Amino acid sequence: MMIKQQHITRLETQLAELVESTFVALFGNRIRAQDIALQLVREMESGAHRPDEPDAPPVAPDEYLIGLHPDVQSALIRRHPALSASLTGHLVELARSAGYHLPAEPRVVLLADASLAVNRFTVHAAHREREQQSSTATMQAVSIPKASATLSGAQLIIDDQLIVPLIAPVTNIGRHSDNQIVLSDPAVSRHHAQIRRRFDEHILFNARSKSGTFVNGVQIREHRLNSGDVIQLGDTQMVYMVDDNDDDEADDVDDATGPQDSFN
C-alpha cells in the first residue's frame, strides 16, 4: 500500500512551516525540511508489514530515529523543543490517512551522530514490539558474572581476542576504514552495523548489510543489547559486556587499550 502524494505533500508543508528557517540557517540550501519528511514517508512505507490476519491493514513502524550531526541535533532541540512531539502527531495523521495500523503512538527520536557530516542525516524506522519479540534468543547468551547496569564499562569482546570499549555515542562497525571498528572479514559489509548509546542502554542496528546482523542466533534490524549478548557479523563473533567497575579481578582476555584499528 502506497502513501498518496497529497498526504506526503501535506507532511512536507507542515514540517517546512515548522523548521524551515532553522534548516536554512543550519544547512543553507543543502538540506530542506521536505527531505526529512520524504525520508520519514519512505521509511514508513518500506517498514510496514502485513499481519497474519488476511484482511488486516498493514502495520506501520512505531519508532523513527533521525540521525543528525551533534551540532545540528542540539540546535534543532534548542530551537524547536517540541519537534519530536509535532512529528509524532504528523506521523499518526499520515498513517491514518494511508490506511496503516499503528500498534502504539509512534516515537520520534533525534539522535546525535558524530559520524555524519553537517549536511547529512539518516532516518531509521522500526517496530518496537516486533523487534523485542525477535530478540528472543535461540542461542543462550553468555553468562557474565557481576554484570552492571551502568554503561561506563560497556565493551565488545571480538573473537575472544580483543576488548574494545564502547565510549562514543555512536560506533560504526564494518570493513571500510572510516568505521570506528574496522573488521578484516570479507564476509562483513563495508558499513555493516552501528551501535548507538541511547540514555542508559546501547542499541545495535543492522546497517543494511548483505549478510545480516545476528544477536544470539537471531537476525535483527534493531536490538537493545544486554550484557552477554553474542553478536555475529559475517564470520566475526563479538560478545557485548557491561563490566562491574568494582571488579578488580583480571579478565581472561587481554585489554586492547590502543586505537580502535583493524581486527582480524
Side-chain angles (χ1 to χ4, degrees):
M1 183 180 295
M2 298 291 292
I3 297 176
K4 294 182 180 179
Q5 183 59 44
Q6 67 189 66
H7 302 311
I8 299 175
T9 302
R10 185 184 307 164
L11 175 61
E12 291 176 341
T13 301
Q14 291 170 332
L15 185 57
E17 291 175 351
L18 182 64
V19 298
E20 189 62 40
S21 60
T22 300
F23 269 53
V24 171
L26 293 173
F27 303 125
N29 294 321
R30 292 170 294 182
I31 294 182
R32 303 174 304 155
Q34 291 93 326
D35 296 330
I36 290 183
L38 184 58
Q39 192 59 37
L40 284 168
V41 171
R42 288 174 176 169
E43 285 291 313
M44 178 178 285
E45 287 181 332
S46 62
H49 71 87
R50 287 281 183 184
D52 295 333
E53 297 80 3
D55 296 328
V59 179
D62 57 3
E63 183 172 65
Y64 297 82
L65 307 177
I66 304 175
L68 300 159
H69 184 277
D71 293 343
V72 176
Q73 184 249 15
S74 61
L76 278 176
I77 292 177
R78 184 175 64 254
R79 298 186 188 189
H80 302 282
L83 178 58
S84 292
S86 178
L87 285 174
T88 294
H90 294 326
L91 288 171
V92 170
E93 180 183 345
L94 188 68
R96 184 184 299 115
S97 61
Y100 289 152
H101 170 65
L102 279 169
E105 181 177 87
R107 180 172 63 183
V108 179
V109 182
L110 302 180
L111 296 174
D113 187 343
S115 69
L116 293 173
V118 173
N119 62 338
R120 300 291 180 185
F121 69 92
T122 60
V123 178
H124 175 82
H127 296 262
R128 277 174 285 177
E129 182 178 355
R130 201 179 187 199
E131 295 295 341
Q132 290 169 2
Q133 291 174 349
S134 70
S135 64
T136 302
T138 59
M139 179 172 64
Q140 292 297 318
V142 176
S143 177
I144 305 297
K146 298 186 178 180
S148 172
T150 179
L151 294 182
S152 59
Q155 57 194 7
L156 290 176
I157 300 179
I158 301 176
D159 285 336
D160 292 328
Q161 296 178 2
L162 293 167
I163 294 179
V164 180
L166 294 174
I167 300 173
V170 177
T171 301
N172 294 302
I173 308 171
R175 231 173 353 100
H176 197 275
S177 59
D178 63 0
N179 292 284
Q180 284 73 41
I181 298 179
V182 181
L183 300 175
S184 299
D185 179 350
V188 169
S189 297
R190 290 162 58 86
H191 299 94
H192 197 114
Q194 184 181 85
I195 296 176
R196 299 178 188 172
R197 187 171 65 222
R198 185 193 301 165
F199 303 108
D200 292 327
E201 58 189 17
H202 277 120
I203 311 297
L204 172 67
F205 296 92
N206 177 60
R208 304 186 186 278
S209 65
K210 292 182 179 180
S211 58
T213 299
F214 295 80
V215 177
N216 302 326
V218 177
Q219 187 169 6
I220 60 97
R221 285 182 58 194
E222 172 187 346
H223 175 78
R224 180 176 60 84
L225 290 168
N226 298 298
S227 189
D229 277 347
V230 179
I231 304 167
Q232 189 79 30
L233 308 182
D235 296 325
T236 302
Q237 187 177 92
M238 308 177 186
V239 178
Y240 174 79
M241 287 178 54
V242 180
D243 279 350
D244 188 341
N245 292 331
D246 296 330
D247 186 7
D248 295 328
E249 296 181 4
D251 291 322
D252 293 334
V253 184
D254 292 334
D255 189 356
T257 57
Q260 296 182 16
D261 262 334
S262 178
F263 303 104
N264 293 316

